[in-house]
Amino acid sequence: MSKRLDYNQIAPAGLKSLGGVYGYVMQSGLSPVLVDLVYLRISQINNCAYCLDMHTRDLLKKGEAIEKIALLQAWAEAGNLFDERERAALAWAESVTRVAETAVPDEAYQAAHAIFDERELVDLTIAIGLMNAYNRLAVSFRNTPQAALER
């Protein structure tokens, strides 16, 4: 797979704007590990190799156990490996990411809102939208994962 184009070079102002949203999410008060778990799960759903590589590395640097990262795709069956907030965030991320299939039903909203206050839920949804945008850029233009560059 070869890179189609370098969107960072072609539209730096657009990427800087996305970076501003990323900065907002990072200062939002949501746990950085929670955000990275959500980013990695969204990247799994969207099959974004570049982002899978990056967020796996980020979680490892933050000290997350390899078992937790390996079982992220099956978080709902992973017992108590994921805490209540992580499970709620991952369920919400899946529903919002698959919006065309799910229409984000009332039950999904009610479950997420039972765990997250309104501000946290909005910030989490902004993070979900941001990662979906980054995934679409990386997949569409074939951004190469760091692991592939190291070989």
Side-chain angles (χ1 to χ4, degrees):
M1 173 174 75
S2 62
K3 192 172 194 169
R4 291 178 171 165
L5 56 81
D6 186 347
Y7 50 84
N8 288 297
Q9 293 296 316
I10 294 168
L15 272 291
K16 184 177 180 182
S17 294
L18 289 177
V21 176
Y22 177 82
Y24 172 82
V25 170
M26 295 318 295
Q27 65 77 42
S28 70
L30 294 170
S31 156
V33 169
L34 176 90
V35 171
D36 275 334
L37 286 169
V38 165
Y39 285 170
L40 182 57
R41 182 65 191 118
I42 292 165
S43 298
Q44 289 173 337
I45 293 167
N46 291 326
N47 202 31
C48 180
Y50 178 81
C51 296
L52 286 166
D53 181 61
M54 178 173 49
H55 297 298
T56 297
R57 290 170 188 264
D58 289 346
L59 285 162
L60 289 170
K61 286 179 194 167
K62 290 177 177 148
E64 283 303 297
I66 191 70
E67 296 82 6
K68 191 170 188 175
I69 295 167
L71 291 173
L72 180 61
Q73 189 169 348
W75 64 266
E77 290 81 36
N80 62 359
L81 190 59
F82 295 89
D83 68 29
E84 182 180 47
R85 286 178 66 83
E86 291 167 341
R87 295 170 67 79
L90 293 166
W92 183 247
E94 288 182 4
S95 188
V96 172
T97 295
R98 295 180 169 133
V99 66
E101 300 164 31
T102 69
V104 191
D106 289 341
E107 304 81 53
Y109 170 77
Q110 291 162 356
H113 195 257
I115 303 299
F116 296 101
D117 67 33
E118 290 178 351
R119 177 63 181 264
E120 290 174 323
L121 191 53
V122 170
D123 289 345
L124 179 59
T125 307
I126 289 169
I128 293 164
L130 175 66
M131 186 47 47
N132 275 286
Y134 276 135
N135 285 173
R136 280 147 180 76
L137 284 164
V139 171
S140 297
F141 300 120
R142 306 291 191 255
N143 212 0
T144 307
Q146 183 178 337
L149 296 173
E150 294 171 352
R151 294 202 164 245

